[in-house]
């Protein structure tokens, strides 16, 4: 990893910086809206709508299997969109991904039930879930890179965390919509009600396009591309450049694992645990998700600001350890069946420390890669970890609890093991607190100068 001297803190935000942060946050909102919404529906709706002929446990497993499959195209999308972002520009990627996400999610809301069209229903669900994963795969890398590069030096953790405030708003909207619709007659909800939040994704996509149409590339990105062409006569291959530091590419994946499972263990699988194992009404979990989102909007920037003072690495490790410690009490509270205790379980299980990991991960990953491969590098770490971690987490938890006869202790062990992996990887990774890319820019400038001096006068 290249090194550079950390510049002094720059106060205030320019109009360009504000537009960049708003444009990045709206995309993260849609990303998490789509995935949280799908997770809630996979836990409480899809088993009855698309897998109704199966045994309840098999239907739940099948529903979570489609949830997991969507993650498998995220690394593919991450690499494809990451390379486009690093070579062509981040704005191109962010406009394309947000439109694709909105269309894929809305399409899910239009699929007839399996009782209406048979096997075609789950197959269409699988198809649109894969498309959703492909477009989501390019979102976080582009958004995180643009926002962190645009933020004032010394406040990058804070402004990077605003992306997760967008995720909190997504929790509020998904949880609120599903909770409200879940109070309607069950027959209407399962036939029509659940579809409305999926169709609403189109509205969010239109808002994102409006906010993103005036985005501008960062000076660091433009300078890096110009120096690449001047020094080597062409732009660098982002995928090759991302693996100039193979340790960081691998560590980025391992670092992201505990962050990726936190919400899906506590909120997504937690909901299925309450509904399937404890026979509680789904609206309890939906409403709790909305409360979690409200708190997340505030807590994420607080953790981001703390990371600017004590370091991203320290905050992330605190988040890993805290999350592992809170899974057991969270599920104990879920088991009580008491509404207030269930909500408390969701808060302590996710908000306290899961948000600490989410709030710092994107900035931490940005600080691990040079400008010419930053979007690709962030996407590799974020999307592969989400595939291996978050995508499989509800399915793994369902299978573990079924094998344990309904006991949730294997979920606690699973969360602890993944958290330990995240702590070790965070300690091993090479992180540069200055993301100006000055070191790499100096390398490119020096190459340009040496080429110029070697040319005949």
């Amino acid at each position: 990893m290249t090194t550079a001297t950390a510049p002094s803190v720059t106060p205030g935000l320019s109009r360009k910086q504000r537009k960049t942060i708003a444009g990045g946050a709206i995309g993260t909102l849609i990303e998490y809206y789509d995935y949280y919404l799908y997770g809630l529906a996979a836990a409480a709706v899809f088993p009855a709508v698309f897998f109704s002929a199966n045994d309840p446990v098999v239907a739940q497993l099948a529903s979570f299997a489609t949830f997991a499959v969507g993650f498998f195209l995220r690394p593919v999308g991450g690499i494809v969109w990451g390379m486009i972002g690093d070579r062509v520009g981040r704005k191109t990627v962010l406009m394309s991904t947000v439109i694709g996400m909105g269309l894929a999610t809305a399409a899910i809301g239009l699929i007839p039930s399996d009782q209406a069209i048979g096997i075609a229903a789950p197959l269409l669900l699988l198809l649109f879930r894969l498309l959703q994963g492909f477009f989501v795969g390019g979102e976080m890398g582009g958004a995180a890179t643009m926002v962190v590069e645009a933020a004032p030096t010394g406040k990058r953790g804070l402004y990077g965390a605003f992306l997760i405030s967008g995720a909190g708003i997504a929790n509020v909207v998904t949880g609120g919509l599903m909770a409200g619709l879940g109070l309607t007659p069950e027959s209407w909800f399962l036939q029509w009600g659940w579809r409305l939040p999926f169709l609403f994704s189109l509205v969010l996509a239109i808002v994102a396009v409006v906010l993103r149409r005036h985005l501008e590339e960062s000076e660091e990105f433009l300078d890096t591309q110009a120096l690449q062409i001047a020094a080597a006569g062409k732009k660098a291959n982002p995928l090759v450049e991302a693996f100039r530091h193979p340790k960081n590419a691998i560590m980025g994946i391992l670092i992201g694992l505990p962050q990726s499972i936190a919400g899906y263990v506590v909120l997504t699988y937690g909901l299925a645990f309450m509904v399937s194992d404890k026979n509680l009404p789904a609206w309890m979990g939906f409403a709790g998700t909305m409360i979690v989102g409200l708190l997340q909007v505030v807590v994420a920037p607080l953790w981001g600001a703390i990371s600017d003072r004590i370091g991203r690495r320290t905050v992330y490790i605190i988040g890993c350890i805290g999350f592992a410690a809170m899974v057991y009490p969270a599920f104990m509270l879920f088991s009580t069946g008491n509404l207030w205790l269930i909500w408390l379980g969701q808060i302590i299980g996710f908000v306290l420390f899961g948000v600490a990991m989410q709030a710092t991960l994107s900035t931490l990953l940005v600080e691990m890669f040079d400008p010419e491969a930053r979007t690709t590098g962030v996407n590799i770490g974020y999307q592969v970890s989400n595939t291996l971690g978050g995508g499989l987490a509800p399915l793994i938890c369902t299978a573990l609890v079924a094998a344990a006869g309904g006991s949730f202790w294997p979920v606690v062990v699973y969360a602890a093991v993944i958290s330990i992996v995240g702590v070790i990887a965070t300690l091993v990774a090479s992180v540069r607190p200055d993301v100006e890319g000055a070191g790499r820019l100096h390398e490119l400038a020096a190459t340009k100068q040496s080429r110029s001096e070697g040319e005949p006068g």
Side-chain angles (χ1 to χ4, degrees):
M1 196 78 241
T2 56
T3 58
T5 303
S8 59
V9 175
T10 304
L13 282 175
S14 67
R15 185 169 178 268
K16 176 181 176 180
Q17 289 172 323
R18 290 194 298 271
K19 287 194 301 182
T20 301
I21 292 169
I26 185 63
T28 307
L29 188 159
I30 296 176
E31 172 189 350
Y32 278 85
Y33 176 89
D34 290 350
Y35 265 63
Y36 283 156
L37 179 60
Y38 194 100
L40 294 176
V45 176
F46 291 165
V49 175
F50 297 118
F51 306 98
S52 61
N54 297 303
D55 172 83
V57 174
V58 175
Q60 189 68 76
L61 287 169
S63 180
F64 277 147
T66 66
F67 176 81
V69 165
F71 281 82
F72 293 141
L73 273 192
R74 285 177 66 156
V76 177
I79 292 173
V80 171
W81 293 112
M83 293 179 67
I84 294 172
D86 285 324
R87 292 179 70 90
V88 178
R90 285 76 183 260
K91 179 179 177 179
T92 300
V93 168
L94 294 180
M95 292 293 283
S96 301
T97 55
V98 78
I99 293 172
M101 288 190 297
L103 291 173
T105 302
I108 291 172
L110 297 174
I111 303 173
S113 69
D114 62 347
Q115 293 183 347
I117 61 173
I119 190 66
L123 290 177
L124 285 172
L125 178 66
L126 182 63
L127 171 64
F128 293 130
R129 177 63 174 167
L130 288 170
L131 288 174
Q132 190 185 54
F134 178 74
F135 286 106
V136 166
E139 176 61 33
M140 179 56 80
T145 299
M146 286 197 79
V147 168
V148 174
E149 287 180 348
T153 306
K155 293 186 179 180
R156 295 189 173 102
L158 170 63
Y159 289 97
F162 282 143
L163 295 176
I164 304 305
S165 289
I169 297 172
N171 258 330
V172 174
V173 178
T174 56
L177 287 173
M178 293 296 275
L181 292 166
L183 292 174
T184 61
E186 183 179 9
S187 59
W188 184 86
F189 175 68
L190 291 178
Q191 185 174 8
W192 301 108
W194 70 269
R195 301 177 185 276
L196 300 180
F198 281 83
L199 297 175
F200 183 65
S201 183
L202 276 180
V203 177
L204 294 176
I206 292 171
V207 173
V209 168
V210 171
L211 286 176
R212 286 182 167 181
R213 61 179 177 168
H214 297 304
L215 286 178
E216 300 176 39
E217 301 292 348
S218 71
E219 292 182 7
E220 180 182 355
F221 171 76
L222 297 174
D223 289 346
T224 300
Q225 286 208 323
L227 283 171
Q228 284 178 14
I229 295 172
K234 61 180 181 179
K235 298 176 183 177
N237 184 313
L239 190 58
V240 172
E241 291 298 317
F243 282 92
R244 287 180 68 241
H245 311 287
K247 182 183 78 172
N248 270 10
I250 296 170
M251 289 304 107
I253 296 170
L254 299 180
I255 288 170
L257 287 176
Q259 177 273 156
S260 72
I261 73 168
Y264 295 119
V265 168
V266 176
L267 302 180
T268 302
Y269 174 71
L271 175 61
F273 178 78
M274 288 182 264
V275 173
S276 300
D277 292 67
K278 300 302 176 182
N279 296 314
L280 299 174
W283 71 264
M284 288 185 174
F286 292 152
T289 299
M290 182 174 64
I291 295 170
V292 164
L294 287 169
L295 294 173
Q296 187 176 356
V297 172
V298 178
V299 172
L302 290 177
W303 278 118
I306 292 171
S307 77
D308 285 325
R309 291 184 172 272
I310 67 175
R312 245 71 69 192
R313 197 194 305 261
T314 301
V315 170
Y316 196 81
I317 289 173
I318 291 172
C320 289
I321 296 172
F323 163 67
M326 289 296 108
V327 172
Y328 178 79
F331 276 82
M332 283 291 291
L333 293 170
F334 295 163
S335 300
T336 66
N338 180 280
L339 178 63
W340 298 101
L341 294 180
I342 286 173
W343 290 350
L344 178 61
Q346 290 177 306
I347 291 170
I348 68 170
F350 179 68
V351 175
L352 294 184
F353 298 104
V355 174
M357 293 187 288
Q358 285 193 345
T360 50
L361 178 66
S362 58
T363 307
L364 182 65
L365 291 175
V366 168
E367 292 173 344
M368 290 167 59
F369 295 94
D370 290 316
E372 62 268 36
R374 189 166 284 157
T375 308
T376 305
V378 173
N379 274 343
I380 289 172
Y382 184 79
Q383 302 301 350
V384 175
S385 66
N386 269 277
T387 299
L388 299 177
L392 296 175
L395 189 63
I396 290 173
C397 290
T398 301
L400 289 174
V401 171
S407 175
F408 61 78
W409 67 263
V411 175
V412 178
V413 175
Y414 167 63
V417 171
I418 295 296
S419 296
I420 291 170
V421 171
V423 169
I424 295 172
T426 304
L427 291 171
V428 171
S430 300
V431 180
R432 182 183 59 220
D434 161 42
V435 298
E436 292 287 341
R440 183 61 178 152
L441 289 175
H442 289 327
E443 285 182 16
L444 292 167
T447 302
K448 175 187 176 183
Q449 182 178 358
S450 64
R451 285 169 58 91
S452 298
E453 291 175 350
E455 294 174 357

